[in-house]
Amino acid sequence: MTAPSHPTPAHAATRAHSFNAAAAQYAANRPSYPPALLDTIEELTGRPLAAARVADIGAGTGIATALLHTRGAQVVAVEPGDGMTAQFRRALPDVPVVRGDGNHLPLATASLDLLTYAQSWHWTDPARSVPEALRVLRPGGALALWWNTGALDVPWIEAQANRIERHFGIDPLVRKNGDATHIALADPTGRLAFTRRRIRWSRRVPVDLHLANIGSHSGFLVQGERRATAFLTEERRHLLAAFPDGTLEETYDVELLVATSP
């Protein structure tokens, strides 16, 4: 929901680094993922997460890593950003985190059962990240990519996305990561045979938490504080008119792609 798929290197670097200054906001307000997501990963990979050797790439503040760890996976996190890494270590002091990114994995060859990218594959260059994924996975290991995307068939979510597009000339909530979930864009090399699933879920949150959530997306962070605040102030007025009790239901479709290493 936050970025075009595989943006130009300079644009990607600006947006990716924007998260480091907002790591605490990101950790406090971003949604997690439903248990059905991990159930589906186990189904598609044909093995339980418990005791699996897993690396979570672009782990950020550890939202997905924590779920994998709770399921019993032997998980290591890989994260390039200083701010996100510091937040990760505060949240998950017992989980190892190493510096790196999907284009250059600091992981041993054929060492993993599962490689996961939660909201982060679109920051990679598939020409490099696909071969790296195949290098570190054992034969029969799996690569899982997923994104929380806004459910645009929900009227208030579509209306908000339209307001974002009008205000900024972009639609960071509508882009669905620039359609990064399309298989051709996820792996233009054609080396991976992805299975695709969509999992709908929702959470009820206060209006202000929702605003803090969308304000933590890179499309907002790179706009500058004045421009982002102006939008969020006006958006709060729209949302309170629609939800006078101050609580709303965010609805998401998790777009999941899973491929098995040859």
Side-chain angles (χ1 to χ4, degrees):
M1 288 168 43
T2 62
S5 74
H6 313 302
T8 63
H11 184 63
T14 298
R15 294 185 70 156
H17 288 306
S18 70
F19 292 123
N20 288 301
Q25 179 184 355
Y26 190 111
N29 303 296
R30 281 293 184 98
S32 185
Y33 306 98
L37 170 65
L38 300 183
D39 294 341
T40 304
I41 291 171
E42 290 182 326
E43 172 199 340
L44 295 178
T45 59
R47 65 161 297 154
L49 286 166
R53 295 168 294 171
V54 181
D56 187 31
I57 314 303
T61 62
I63 294 172
T65 315
L67 298 178
L68 294 163
H69 180 63
T70 299
R71 281 281 179 121
Q74 299 174 15
V75 61
V76 60
V78 177
E79 168 56 40
D82 291 337
M84 298 295 248
T85 299
Q87 190 70 38
F88 182 102
R89 288 189 170 123
R90 285 191 286 271
L92 297 168
D94 298 327
V95 178
V97 55
V98 296
R99 301 299 296 276
D101 60 53
N103 296 328
H104 305 93
L105 294 174
L107 303 167
T109 297
S111 62
L112 298 174
D113 299 310
L114 178 65
L115 194 60
T116 63
Y117 287 76
Q119 311 283 137
S120 62
W121 184 258
H122 55 280
W123 298 118
T124 74
D125 173 5
R128 292 184 287 172
S129 56
V130 170
E132 275 290 85
L134 292 173
R135 178 183 67 79
V136 303
L137 287 171
R138 63 166 181 79
L143 171 65
L145 323 174
W146 69 84
W147 296 263
N148 264 331
T149 67
L152 296 179
D153 57 332
V154 177
W156 79 263
I157 295 177
E158 181 184 27
Q160 180 179 81
N162 290 335
R163 289 192 293 270
I164 290 171
E165 183 172 12
R166 287 194 299 270
H167 186 87
F168 293 121
I170 60 171
D171 53 350
L173 294 180
V174 182
R175 282 184 184 274
K176 295 192 174 186
N177 294 297
D179 294 325
T181 52
H182 289 330
I183 292 175
L185 294 179
D187 177 25
T189 72
R191 298 176 66 184
L192 298 171
F194 282 112
T195 298
R196 182 176 182 177
R197 295 288 179 83
R198 176 176 293 169
I199 302 157
R200 176 156 290 197
W201 73 287
S202 64
R203 66 172 188 168
R204 290 189 63 79
V205 297
V207 163
D208 287 339
L209 190 151
H210 170 73
L211 292 171
N213 168 24
I214 65 172
S216 75
H217 288 79
S218 63
F220 281 79
L221 296 173
V222 300
Q223 296 297 325
E225 184 176 356
R226 178 180 298 180
R227 195 171 185 208
T229 298
F231 174 84
L232 293 171
T233 299
E234 180 65 13
E235 187 61 17
R236 188 174 190 274
R237 184 183 67 78
H238 282 292
L239 292 176
L240 288 176
F243 304 101
D245 68 349
T247 301
L248 54 78
E249 185 170 11
E250 294 177 338
T251 302
Y252 295 96
D253 288 319
V254 182
E255 300 283 357
L256 171 66
L257 295 175
V258 175
T260 301
S261 174

